[in-house]
Amino acid sequence: MRILITGGRGTVGSVLLRELESRGHHVVVCDVAHGVEEVGFSLRTDVESPNYARCDVSEYRQLERVFDVMGPFELVYHMAAEFGRWNGEDFYEQLWRTNAVGTKNVLRLQERHRVRLVHFSSSEVYGDWEGTMSEDVMDQHEIRQMNDYALSKWVNEGQIRNSILQHNTESVIVRLFNTYGPGEYYSPYRSVNCRFIYCGLRGLPWVVFRGHFRTSTYVDDTVRTLANIATTFKPGAVYNISSTQYHSIEQLSELVVKVTGADPKLVDYRNAEILTTRMKKVDNSRSVLDLGHEDTVDLETGISRTAEWMRRIYQLPVLARER
Amino acid sequence: MRILITGGRGTVGSVLLRELESRGHHVVVCDVAHGVEEVGFSLRTDVESPNYARCDVSEYRQLERVFDVMGPFELVYHMAAEFGRWNGEDFYEQLWRTNAVGTKNVLRLQERHRVRLVHFSSSEVYGDWEGTMSEDVMDQHEIRQMNDYALSKWVNEGQIRNSILQHNTESVIVRLFNTYGPGEYYSPYRSVNCRFIYCGLRGLPWVVFRGHFRTSTYVDDTVRTLANIATTFKPGAVYNISSTQYHSIEQLSELVVKVTGADPKLVDYRNAEILTTRMKKVDNSRSVLDLGHEDTVDLETGISRTAEWMRRIYQLPVLARER
C-alpha cells in the first residue's frame, strides 16, 4: 500500500515508518525540517529512492506538492501537529496554524484525492471528563477542553466529522494516551515520562504534581496497533489507543528514580496542576477488538529502555547520582 | 470610560462606536485597513485626536502597540474576527489566524493590563442544537459545531473560560444572532439579509433554502444593549443578544421582494442547506433582564432602512424591477 505519514519524524512517526516498511508498504514521510532521505523538488536528488519530503502542513502549496510529486497515496497517517498543552499555551500561533489550518489543508487534499485518512488525536480531547474515557462519551456529555492544545485537537475531530458529512471522506480518528519511549527527544514541553527520565539521568530536579493518574503507553505497542489500521480500516471509527496499566505520577517518578539511579531528593512534590485532567481512566476495548491492541511492555521495562536510549543519545554517564 | 473596540470598522462596530461616544466614553477603534482618523505610529499624525489605529489582532506586536500608544483602556470590545460559515470554509487560514490566534493575543494583553473584555461570539456556537438556545444549554448538552467558523467561535469561548480560571480575568461573552442593518457592505459571504437585499436592488437572482428559521436583530437594537455592558458589567456572564421575532428565510425573502420591488421570479427555492442549523429558537431573557435589551425595529422596517442605505451607497436605482 502507498502510504504518507505527515509529521513522520516525531516520536511515534519514526517507529511507525519502520513498522509499516517491515510489513511491505511503500511509505513516504513528510515533516518540517530537511533530512537525509529527502527528495529535491527543483534540484537533483542524490539518494536513490527518497522517501522523505520537507513540508509544513500549514502551507497548502507545500502539502499539495507532496501529493503531486510523491503520490498517489491510498492512506495518510496525519500526525503533523504541535504537541502538548504548555507548548500550546506558549506557542499558540504555531499551534493554531499547524493543527487547525494544517489539518484543514490535509482534508482539502483528502477530498480531492479520495485518500483514506488516519488522524492523530489525543486523550486531551476528554478535557474535564472524570469518568471512564470511552470513545463516545462526548456524544452524550458536554466536555470542556482545558487548554488551547486540547481545543485544537477537538477542533480537528470536528473538521473531520464535518468533512465526512459534507464530502463523504473516509477517516479514522485515533486518540493517543501518553505514548512514550525511545525516540522522544527531550524538551521542557515533552511528555512527563520523557522529562522525568531526562532529569533523572542529568541529575536535575523535577516536579511531581500529586493526585494525577495516567496510563503510559509504550511506543512499540501503540505503533503495532496503528499499523494494523492500514489493513483493518473502518471509515468513521474512533479509537482510544492506550495501555490499561494505571499509575500515579508519583509512581512514575519513583520508577524513574529507581531506573536512573537519581537522588530521590531531586523530586519536588506539589499539589494538583491546573489546566489538565486529574484522572484519565480509559476504555480501550474498541482498539483491542478491532485492531488487536496489546500491552506487551510494562512501565518499568519501558522506562528502562527509554533511559538506555536517552543515555546513548545524550551521551550521559550511567550513574547520574555521582555527578 | 476609556474603551478599545477591535474590529470596530465592521457592521456592528461602527454603530457601537457612535453609540459609546454619544454616551461620553473615550473610544479607540482598531481594524485591519488604514483610515482617516488614523494615528501615525512612526510619522506625524495629521488629524488632531486620532481615534483609530490600524492593527491586525493576529499580529501580537501590532496589538501590543495599540495598548501601549493608545491606552490605557478599562474595557475592550473584541469583535475583530473572520465572519461567516462559508467564509470560514473558503478562507480557513485567515479564520484560524484571526479568530484563534487573534483572540489569544487579546487575552494575553488582557492578562497583563487587567482590562475588562466583552468578547463577540455567535449563535453558530449552538451548532446542531435544535431546542431553545439559552446560554447554558452547552453546560448540560454536547453540541456539535458544524463548520470551522462555529468551531473557532466555540474555541474562543473556551480560551476565555480557561483564562478566567487560570488568570482571573474579567470577561463577558455576547452571542449575536443574525444582526443586520445599514453598514453591512455586500459580499457573497455576508448575512442572508444583506445578500437578499443587495440582489433585490440589483435585480440578481438569489437562492432561498426552505425550512430554515431565524431571528433577525436590527443593528441599533443590538448596539444599545452592547453599550449597556460598559456600565453593567458582570464578569463571567454570557448573553444571547437577539430579537425574538422569528421568521423563515422564505418570509425574509418575500419581504425583500416587497421592499425592493424585485421580480419574485428572481427567487430560487431549494431544500435545506448543509452545515448549518435549521431552526434557531433563542432565549434572550438574560440580556433583557441584565442589559435592558429591547426589540424596537421590526423586520420590514429594518429591511426598508437597510435597502435605503444600500441604494445610496451603491448608487442603485429605486425600481430594480425595471432594470
Side-chain angles (χ1 to χ4, degrees):
Chain A
M1 193 180 291
R2 293 182 62 89
I3 296 173
L4 172 67
I5 308 178
T6 72
R9 282 285 169 94
T11 309
V12 180
S14 50
V15 184
L16 180 61
L17 167 64
R18 289 197 299 272
E19 178 72 19
L20 289 169
E21 284 185 335
S22 79
R23 296 184 186 196
H25 297 297
H26 175 82
V27 188
V28 170
V29 161
C30 69
D31 212 318
V32 286
H34 286 296
V36 291
E37 296 297 312
E38 185 178 349
V39 68
F41 286 111
S42 300
L43 48 71
R44 184 177 165 279
T45 303
D46 301 304
V47 297
E48 251 172 71
S49 18
N51 69 348
Y52 178 73
R54 184 186 185 193
C55 167
D56 179 340
V57 294
S58 75
E59 297 290 345
Y60 182 81
R61 184 189 62 86
Q62 294 184 8
L63 190 62
E64 186 182 46
R65 183 169 59 186
V66 171
F67 276 75
D68 290 346
V69 174
M70 314 285 276
F73 305 111
E74 293 153 82
L75 181 65
V76 175
Y77 286 91
H78 173 44
M79 45 210 300
E82 288 285 329
F83 164 80
R85 64 180 191 283
W86 290 112
N87 180 45
E89 296 303 308
D90 285 352
F91 300 91
Y92 54 83
E93 303 90 342
Q94 286 94 327
L95 178 85
W96 289 106
R97 198 164 63 226
T98 302
N99 295 14
V101 176
T103 298
K104 197 79 173 175
N105 287 339
V106 169
L107 290 173
R108 286 288 181 257
L109 286 161
Q110 182 193 17
E111 290 154 12
R112 197 211 292 171
H113 293 281
R114 311 311 299 173
V115 62
R116 288 179 155 182
L117 181 71
V118 178
H119 174 77
F120 284 69
S121 188
S122 161
S123 61
E124 284 282 313
V125 300
Y126 291 105
D128 59 359
W129 178 247
E130 300 236 326
T132 299
M133 294 167 175
S134 56
E135 286 88 348
D136 50 8
V137 291
M138 44 271 281
D139 297 340
Q140 283 112 40
H141 302 278
E142 172 57 20
I143 284 174
R144 298 284 166 111
Q145 286 79 34
M146 297 162 81
N147 51 70
D148 274 40
Y149 172 63
L151 286 165
S152 77
K153 298 307 278 188
W154 184 235
V155 159
N156 288 160
E157 296 201 18
Q159 291 172 315
I160 289 164
R161 193 172 55 234
N162 292 334
S163 172
I164 291 171
L165 282 172
Q166 198 184 352
H167 301 284
N168 293 306
T169 43
E170 296 192 331
S171 295
V172 162
I173 291 170
V174 292
R175 296 179 183 147
L176 267 50
F177 282 69
N178 200 32
T179 301
Y180 76 103
E184 186 174 10
Y185 290 84
Y186 171 81
S187 91
Y189 296 97
R190 295 303 314 184
S191 79
V192 69
N193 303 42
C194 173
R195 286 171 35 235
F196 287 3
I197 297 170
Y198 183 79
C199 289
L201 292 172
R202 284 281 314 273
L204 299 167
W206 68 91
V207 174
V208 169
F209 289 101
R210 289 181 208 275
H212 288 282
F213 288 81
R214 293 290 184 272
T215 55
S216 289
T217 318
Y218 191 67
V219 63
D220 291 4
D221 289 336
T222 298
V223 158
R224 199 183 324 104
T225 302
L226 291 171
N228 291 344
I229 301 176
T231 44
T232 315
F233 189 97
K234 293 193 178 179
V238 180
Y239 297 107
N240 291 332
I241 299 192
S242 172
S243 155
T244 49
Q245 302 170 38
Y246 294 93
H247 59 80
S248 65
I249 301 300
E250 294 93 313
Q251 289 171 311
L252 171 70
S253 175
E254 284 157 19
L255 273 179
V256 169
V257 167
K258 180 180 164 191
V259 163
T260 61
D263 185 342
K265 287 184 194 141
L266 290 172
V267 186
D268 175 7
Y269 291 95
R270 300 211 196 140
N271 288 327
E273 196 180 18
I274 53 171
L275 292 195
T276 184
T277 317
R278 296 176 60 86
M279 167 71 87
K280 293 194 180 180
K281 267 190 300 188
V282 58
D283 175 356
N284 73 350
S285 55
R286 199 184 283 176
S287 63
V288 170
L289 192 67
D290 281 9
L291 306 174
H293 179 72
E294 275 185 289
D295 281 353
T296 69
V297 179
D298 66 43
L299 188 59
E300 184 166 347
T301 307
I303 289 176
S304 296
R305 289 187 195 167
T306 309
E308 276 169 44
W309 171 83
M310 216 180 256
R311 265 200 198 98
R312 200 175 67 243
I313 289 295
Y314 295 117
Q315 303 185 349
L316 297 169
V318 173
L319 290 175
R321 190 175 292 184
E322 298 177 356
R323 286 164 66 91
Chain B
M1 193 180 293
R2 294 182 62 88
I3 295 173
L4 172 66
I5 309 177
T6 71
R9 282 286 169 93
T11 310
V12 180
S14 50
V15 184
L16 180 61
L17 167 64
R18 290 197 299 272
E19 179 72 21
L20 289 170
E21 284 185 336
S22 79
R23 297 184 185 195
H25 297 296
H26 174 81
V27 187
V28 171
V29 162
C30 70
D31 212 319
V32 286
H34 286 295
V36 290
E37 296 295 315
E38 184 178 348
V39 66
F41 286 110
S42 300
L43 48 70
R44 185 177 165 277
T45 303
D46 301 305
V47 298
E48 251 173 72
S49 17
N51 70 348
Y52 178 73
R54 184 186 186 195
C55 168
D56 179 340
V57 294
S58 74
E59 296 289 346
Y60 183 82
R61 184 188 62 88
Q62 294 184 10
L63 190 62
E64 185 182 45
R65 183 168 59 188
V66 171
F67 276 75
D68 289 347
V69 175
M70 314 285 275
F73 306 112
E74 292 153 83
L75 180 65
V76 175
Y77 286 91
H78 173 45
M79 45 209 301
E82 288 285 328
F83 164 79
R85 66 180 189 284
W86 291 112
N87 180 45
E89 296 303 308
D90 286 352
F91 300 91
Y92 54 84
E93 302 91 343
Q94 286 94 330
L95 178 85
W96 289 106
R97 199 164 58 225
T98 303
N99 296 15
V101 176
T103 297
K104 197 79 175 176
N105 286 339
V106 169
L107 290 173
R108 286 287 182 257
L109 286 160
Q110 182 192 16
E111 290 154 12
R112 196 210 296 171
H113 294 281
R114 311 310 302 172
V115 63
R116 286 179 157 184
L117 180 71
V118 178
H119 174 76
F120 284 69
S121 188
S122 162
S123 61
E124 284 281 314
V125 299
Y126 291 106
D128 60 357
W129 178 247
E130 300 235 324
T132 299
M133 292 167 175
S134 57
E135 287 88 346
D136 50 10
V137 289
M138 46 271 279
D139 297 341
Q140 283 110 41
H141 301 277
E142 171 57 20
I143 284 174
R144 296 284 166 112
Q145 286 80 33
M146 297 161 83
N147 51 71
D148 273 42
Y149 172 62
L151 285 166
S152 77
K153 299 307 278 188
W154 184 235
V155 159
N156 289 161
E157 296 200 16
Q159 291 172 316
I160 289 164
R161 192 173 56 235
N162 292 335
S163 172
I164 291 171
L165 282 173
Q166 198 184 352
H167 301 284
N168 293 305
T169 44
E170 295 193 330
S171 295
V172 162
I173 291 170
V174 292
R175 296 179 183 147
L176 266 51
F177 282 69
N178 201 30
T179 301
Y180 76 104
E184 186 174 11
Y185 291 84
Y186 170 81
S187 91
Y189 295 97
R190 295 303 315 184
S191 80
V192 70
N193 303 43
C194 172
R195 286 170 36 231
F196 286 2
I197 297 169
Y198 183 78
C199 289
L201 292 171
R202 284 280 313 271
L204 300 167
W206 68 89
V207 174
V208 169
F209 289 98
R210 291 181 204 275
H212 289 281
F213 289 82
R214 292 288 184 273
T215 54
S216 289
T217 317
Y218 191 69
V219 63
D220 291 5
D221 289 336
T222 298
V223 158
R224 198 182 327 103
T225 303
L226 290 172
N228 291 344
I229 301 176
T231 43
T232 316
F233 189 96
K234 292 193 179 179
V238 180
Y239 297 108
N240 290 333
I241 299 193
S242 172
S243 156
T244 48
Q245 301 170 38
Y246 293 93
H247 59 80
S248 65
I249 302 298
E250 294 93 312
Q251 288 171 313
L252 171 70
S253 175
E254 285 157 17
L255 273 177
V256 170
V257 167
K258 180 179 166 191
V259 162
T260 61
D263 186 341
K265 288 182 195 142
L266 290 172
V267 185
D268 176 8
Y269 292 95
R270 299 210 195 142
N271 290 327
E273 196 178 19
I274 52 169
L275 292 194
T276 185
T277 316
R278 296 175 62 85
M279 165 72 88
K280 292 193 180 181
K281 270 190 300 188
V282 58
D283 175 357
N284 72 353
S285 55
R286 201 185 284 176
S287 64
V288 170
L289 192 69
D290 281 8
L291 306 174
H293 179 72
E294 274 186 290
D295 282 352
T296 69
V297 179
D298 68 43
L299 188 60
E300 184 164 348
T301 307
I303 289 176
S304 297
R305 289 187 195 167
T306 309
E308 278 169 42
W309 171 82
M310 219 181 255
R311 265 202 198 96
R312 199 173 68 244
I313 289 296
Y314 295 118
Q315 304 186 347
L316 297 169
V318 173
L319 292 175
R321 192 175 293 184
E322 299 178 352
R323 286 164 64 93

